[in-house]
Amino acid sequence: HEPPVVLVTMGGSDPTGITLKAVRALTLIRRPFNFVVLLGRAFGHDAELSRLLLDCSHECRIIRDGDVRAEMLAADLAILSFGVTSYEAAACALPALALCLTDDHAESAEAFAKAGAAISMGRADSVDEAQLAAAVERMLTDNAELGAMSARARSLVDDAGAARIARVIT
């Protein structure tokens, strides 16, 4: 898209406020882009998010309990909390920057990074806004790499997982 669209989504509750870190990082970027913040039903940082967006120069939409698939298909890049959302992004061919809550998540996110489908930023508590902003800006300026990451992400998901699980169970 022109300007590109960045989707921020951290799951249903985001108890540690990673959404706020992502939004603070996005406000540091001067390059034109729009972003969407997809919030879960249990998100509890509304007041601080509203304050952050007061001085934001980018167009931003806030969506609560929206259609995750539709928002992923409409975005060029995601900033997400590693977990099920990472698999959803891959199925939608959406390149992602993954922030991780635990060491276990960081290890799993690294598999996506090694496959070239995402960039793992490691544990969210060890990444600052400037580092995250720099990573987003790098990705938004390289359309060829975004396209390649999109193709690699989609190739990870073959839509046959449920059938494989059923075969193991039976």
Side-chain angles (χ1 to χ4, degrees), residues 34-95:
N34 299 328
F35 67 103
V36 174
V37 180
L38 183 58
L39 302 173
R41 181 170 293 144
F43 182 78
H45 308 280
D46 296 281
E48 188 171 351
L49 179 60
S50 294
R51 279 192 301 276
L52 285 173
L53 294 174
L54 286 175
D55 297 322
C56 183
S57 62
H58 303 288
E59 182 179 317
C60 176
R61 287 186 305 124
I62 305 294
I63 300 171
R64 191 177 290 273
D65 293 326
D67 182 338
V68 175
R69 181 177 181 273
E71 296 304 328
M72 286 184 170
L73 291 172
D76 298 297
L77 173 66
I79 303 172
L80 50 80
S81 175
F82 184 83
V84 171
T85 309
S86 296
Y87 295 89
E88 293 169 327
C92 291
L94 180 61

Side-chain angles (χ1 to χ4, degrees), residues 118-153:
I119 293 176
S120 175
M121 298 298 295
R123 287 187 54 128
D125 57 7
S126 65
V127 176
D128 67 31
E129 287 86 358
Q131 291 170 310
L132 184 54
V136 170
E137 196 152 21
R138 264 192 317 276
M139 291 188 71
L140 291 180
T141 58
D142 192 346
N143 285 332
E145 180 57 19
L146 275 179
M149 284 182 76
S150 175
R152 291 188 296 260

Side-chain angles (χ1 to χ4, degrees), residues 15-26:
T16 62
I18 302 173
T19 298
L20 303 173
K21 178 177 279 199
V23 171
R24 282 192 297 271
L26 292 175

